[in-house]
Amino acid sequence: MRSVNQQRRLISFGLVLLPTLSFAVTEKPLITMWKSPTCGCCKDWAAYLEKNGFHVKAIDIGNTEMRQKLGMPVQYGSCHTAQINGYVIEGHVPAKEIKRLLAEKPKAIGLTVPAMPIGSPGMDGPEYKGRKDPYDVLLIGLNGMPSVYQAYK
């Protein structure tokens, strides 16, 4: 009789702890990135995202076709295209803005940092000697129109 009561207590205790344990093992969000196999700044951006809480799956086939397929207007293009939770992430977008996008969930195609501004994540290596050019992170609406999501000065 005593062992049955001990088993019940242990099971009850385990059931009480189960919800808190599930929060402790949170998976990193997966972001899939299409890039050129030879692009160093794309690799640097992927490493930056990994350090900032994302899991990056890199596909080395180039990104032009995927940018078009995912609906990111070509004029907002950059050297890599990524996708996370249905959003397109084009270019050197900071992790902070991707996390904000995922939290706010706007109706949009996604975010872009057009071109390759020096000082943006992945374009901030020692070869740039600390240089930081101003740039905007753009939110591209479902209609393809941009709005400034965050300015970096």
Side-chain angles (χ1 to χ4, degrees), residues 2-15:
R2 182 178 172 157
S3 70
V4 171
N5 284 338
Q6 284 179 328
Q7 286 178 337
R8 286 183 184 161
R9 282 188 200 138
L10 286 174
I11 291 170
S12 296
F13 185 67
L15 290 174

Side-chain angles (χ1 to χ4, degrees), residues 52-90:
N52 283 276
F54 293 91
H55 175 72
V56 180
K57 177 183 176 185
I59 301 171
D60 293 340
I61 60 169
N63 69 315
T64 304
E65 187 177 319
M66 282 311 296
R67 180 189 316 121
Q68 184 179 23
K69 182 178 180 181
L70 295 173
M72 180 60 71
V74 69
Q75 65 266 35
Y76 306 116
S78 188
C79 58
H80 55 262
T81 302
Q83 187 177 39
I84 185 168
N85 292 8
Y87 289 107
V88 181
I89 308 296
E90 183 72 25

